[in-house]
Amino acid sequence: MVREEIAVSTRALRWKCVESRIDSKRLYYGRFILSPLMKGQADMIGIAMRRALLGEIEGTCITRVKSEKVPHEFSTIVGIEESVHEILMNFKEIVLRSHLYGTLDASICVRGPRYVTAQDIILPPSVEIVDATQHIVNLTEPIDLCIELQIERDRGYRMKTPNNYQDGSYPIDAVFMPVRNANHSIHSYGNANEKQEILFLEIWTNGSLTPKEALYEASRNLIDLFIPFLHPEEQEIHLEDNPNRVSLPLFTFHDEFLNIRKNKKIIALKCIFIDQSELPSRTYNCLKKSNIHTLLDLLTNSQEDLLKIEYFRMEDVKQILDILQKHFGFDLPKNKFLIY
């Protein structure tokens, strides 16, 4: 356990981790403060951060299990202590760590009698098990057990659907949320005329990331959501089919870029984020993990630079070139390119 003294600054807004501990491999705890805040700000930030921590951070988990020997989810198998349903619930509890997107395959192939744990899962190189001792099944007889697994990365909670069973494979309720719980509390100080507040944030994670990493990811996601409002360009949209015309503000990557070209202000390129484009989520996340967040970041790279990004393919580069050409008439050269 790590404890630090709480230092409240009356000059500048600061945050600090005042307590952190590891209760188990699948339970991390962190406590943070943000101060000084004006009256009402602590509750506003605390509510937004809690929602972002619980709903906006991505995680990796097993979403489907397949075995040819299983007739249905509630059956039992000779030589296996647990029912099929209990085995599926054990797979649901396995915590994974990965930064890749898309569907990945894993498997288990063992022979009893023995205890089968998460350590027996054969994973792709990009995926890591947080707690390898986690129990899966107990084989009580000398039988072969072969199970295929499907791994995905997403956010939130995904419930299995009754019609999603196929070819002996069974979906699992997917809990992608790496943050188990988040609370906030407020301490007020000062006199009635100059009331100030301290925000306390408590974060529990499943071990796939630390509370400090979760705080960073949630903050970054909140910033990304509000970025479009910093540089709006309004345009009226008239719905022709509707007799009652409605005017809506439109924030488009294309219009913002045309405005930049017209005014020739390169500094504005820093305000156009790549998530405002039509890039697929996989391509977007690869760029983001390479610290390419804005159009300016993207245009300072050549095609050769992009291909050096881990897990980046030529198809991804072609998608970027098509979008730049389609909306902006831009192209990325094969060699290093700088914007002046």
Side-chain angles (χ1 to χ4, degrees), residues 18-251:
V18 294
E19 183 179 353
S20 65
R21 66 173 185 262
I22 301 176
D23 294 330
S24 67
K25 291 182 179 180
R26 288 182 283 158
L27 184 59
Y28 285 40
Y29 172 80
R31 190 164 180 255
F32 308 87
I33 63 168
L34 179 66
S35 67
L37 295 165
M38 297 176 62
K39 184 178 180 181
Q41 290 182 338
D43 196 44
M44 176 181 63
I45 297 173
I47 292 173
M49 284 301 301
R50 186 177 187 275
R51 286 182 175 271
L53 285 164
L54 294 174
E56 296 296 326
I57 302 180
E58 296 177 335
T60 305
C61 67
I62 298 171
T63 58
R64 185 175 288 274
V65 177
K66 181 178 181 180
S67 179
E68 297 179 354
K69 296 182 179 181
V70 179
H72 57 82
E73 181 181 357
F74 299 100
S75 62
T76 57
I77 302 175
V78 177
I80 298 180
E81 183 177 306
E82 294 85 357
S83 67
V84 174
H85 178 74
E86 290 174 327
I87 297 173
L88 293 177
M89 292 302 99
N90 290 338
F91 277 118
K92 179 181 176 180
E93 295 297 321
I94 293 177
V95 179
L96 302 174
R97 183 188 293 116
S98 173
H99 295 291
L100 288 187
Y101 292 84
T103 302
L104 302 175
D105 295 325
S107 63
I108 294 179
C109 192
V110 295
R111 182 172 178 80
R114 57 170 296 182
Y115 284 98
V116 181
T117 65
Q119 186 176 4
D120 297 304
I121 300 177
I122 303 173
L123 293 167
S126 57
V127 182
E128 178 186 348
I129 295 176
V130 171
D131 185 6
T133 64
Q134 191 167 339
H135 177 74
I136 297 176
V137 63
N138 180 24
L139 304 180
T140 58
E141 296 183 13
I143 61 172
D144 293 323
L145 177 66
C146 292
I147 300 176
E148 297 178 17
L149 306 173
Q150 179 178 290
I151 298 172
E152 294 183 59
R153 181 177 175 83
D154 206 336
R155 65 184 181 91
Y157 181 85
R158 184 198 303 168
M159 292 185 63
K160 62 183 180 182
T161 55
N163 58 352
N164 205 12
Y165 297 86
Q166 53 189 14
D167 300 330
S169 68
Y170 300 90
I172 302 175
D173 290 339
V175 184
F176 296 103
M177 302 177 292
V179 176
R180 284 189 166 188
N181 194 14
N183 290 328
H184 82 278
S185 57
I186 302 168
H187 171 69
S188 300
Y189 63 97
N191 54 44
N193 296 328
E194 297 182 2
K195 205 76 171 179
Q196 290 186 314
E197 297 177 339
I198 302 175
L199 172 64
F200 290 83
L201 275 173
E202 292 182 289
I203 303 172
W204 292 263
T205 68
N206 63 3
S208 61
L209 77 173
T210 66
K212 186 177 290 187
E213 292 171 336
L215 185 63
Y216 173 83
E217 286 294 327
S219 302
R220 181 67 198 180
N221 290 336
L222 280 177
I223 292 172
D224 289 345
L225 290 174
F226 286 106
I227 281 295
F229 294 105
L230 296 179
H231 304 278
E233 185 168 312
E234 294 188 4
Q235 176 179 332
E236 288 190 353
I237 302 177
H238 299 292
L239 305 179
E240 300 294 341
D241 298 334
N242 194 334
N244 301 319
R245 288 188 173 184
V246 181
S247 298
L248 299 173
L250 175 65
F251 306 97

Side-chain angles (χ1 to χ4, degrees), residues 295-306:
L295 182 60
L296 183 62
D297 296 336
L298 182 60
L299 294 179
T300 54
N301 288 272
S302 65
Q303 298 180 34
E304 184 180 0
D305 294 329
L306 295 181

Side-chain angles (χ1 to χ4, degrees), residues 303-312:
Q303 298 180 34
E304 184 180 0
D305 294 329
L306 295 181
L307 287 173
K308 293 179 182 178
I309 297 176
E310 190 176 12
Y311 306 114
F312 218 70

Side-chain angles (χ1 to χ4, degrees), residues 252-270:
T252 64
F253 196 18
H254 177 57
D255 293 337
E256 197 167 347
F257 183 78
L258 291 178
N259 184 59
I260 290 168
R261 291 189 65 187
K262 181 179 179 181
N263 295 290
K264 297 181 180 180
K265 296 180 179 179
I266 297 300
I267 190 172
L269 295 174
K270 297 179 181 179

